[in-house]
Amino acid sequence: MSTAEPGPVVDDLGLDAEEQRPDLVLVVDDDQDIASFVEFNLKVHGFDVIRARDGQEALDMMETHRPDLALVDWMMPRMDGVELIRRLRADPLTSALPVIMLTARSMTVDKVVGLTTGADDYLTKPFDTAELIARVSTTLRRNKEFREVSPLTGLPGNARVRREISDRMRAGGDYSVGYIDIDRFKSVNDVYGFDRGDEFIIALARSLQRASAATGKPSIFLGHIGGDDFVFICHPDQVLPLTKSMVTDFESAADRLYDPKDAQRGYIEVPDRRGNKQRAALVTLSIGVAQATAGGRQFDDPRMVIAVASEMKKVAKSQPGSYVAIDRRRSEPEA
C-alpha cells in the first residue's frame, strides 16, 4: 500500500446536503377536538401537521403530500383506520410510512389487530402530551435509522455520515474523513455477475470492521454510502494503521473470491462490445483522506470535507495498486 499527500481539485462525494425541515405528521381523525389537540401539541414541539377527517381523505391527500408519519384513528366514517393502514401498506409509495394507531380500544386483541395490520405503534385514548410526543419522536427516529442502514453491509448510510461529520466539526477536535473505492469493481460485476460483486462489497465492509477493531480507541465511524463506496471517520493518527490493516485484509479476502485460475494469473478477462477479451487487473483500493487539525486545515461545511476526500480519492486512483492519498494543506489565512 502506498501513501501520498498531494494538492487540490474539487469534486463531490455524491452526498447532497441534507434538507433541514421539520417532520411532517398526518393526523387522521374525525373527532375535530382530538385532532386539534394533537395538531397543537405537535406544532408546539416543532412538527409540521396536516389533517384528514377519515381514511379516504387521507389517501386523497397522499397524492400531493408526503408525510413522514401518520397518526391514524381506528373508528372513522367511510374508511376506518385499519382499512387505511392496509391500503397504505399495499401501495409502494406509502408502504414504508410509519403509522401510529390512535384508539379508545384497550383490549389486547384489539392492539394485536392494529399491529398485525401494519401499525408501527399503538396509542390508547386518553393519552397525555408527553406520551404523544415521545411515541411520535421514537417512531420517527427508529424509522430513519432503519432507512439509513445499508441492507447489504449493515453500515450507516449517507445521512448518518453527514451527521457524523457535522458532529466532529462542532466538537472542534482533530479528525480525518476517508473515502474508499474498489478499483476495477465493474470488471468483477461484468465477469462474475452482481451476486459475486456483492461478496466483494461485503468483504470490504468486514475488512473495515476488523481493521477498526484492531486499531482501537478512539472509536472509528464506518459508513457505506452505496455500491463499492465506503467512508471512515477517525483521529488523524489512526488513518495509516487503519488503512494498512484494511488493505491487507481485503486484498487477501478478494483473492479468495476470484475463480482460482484468475487469482493465480493475476487478472480477469473482460469481453468488450465486440466480443474481444481485455485483461483487467485484480481489484485494489483507492482511499482519499481529508483532515482537519488544529495546526492545519479547518472546515466549516461538511460538503467541503467530502469534496476534499473525493478529490484525494481521484489522486489515489491515478496511482498503481492500493493507494492512500492524504490532504495536508493548511487553511488559507484570512485577509
Side-chain angles (χ1 to χ4, degrees), residues 8 12 18 46 64 86 106 111 122 130 137 176 182 197 199 211 234 249 252 264 267 275-276 278 325:
D12 181 55
E18 187 172 12
T64 54
R86 286 198 184 103
S106 58
K111 294 179 180 180
Y122 202 101
S137 299
S176 294
I182 302 178
E199 292 181 29
C234 64
D249 190 286
S252 176
Q264 186 174 11
Y267 64 87
N276 300 316
Q278 305 294 326

Side-chain angles (χ1 to χ4, degrees), residues 270-297:
V270 185
D272 61 20
R273 293 180 180 180
R274 296 181 178 180
N276 300 316
K277 292 185 177 180
Q278 305 294 326
R279 292 184 179 184
L282 304 186
V283 295
T284 52
L285 297 178
S286 288
I287 305 164
V289 181
Q291 300 201 132
T293 61
R297 195 163 187 175

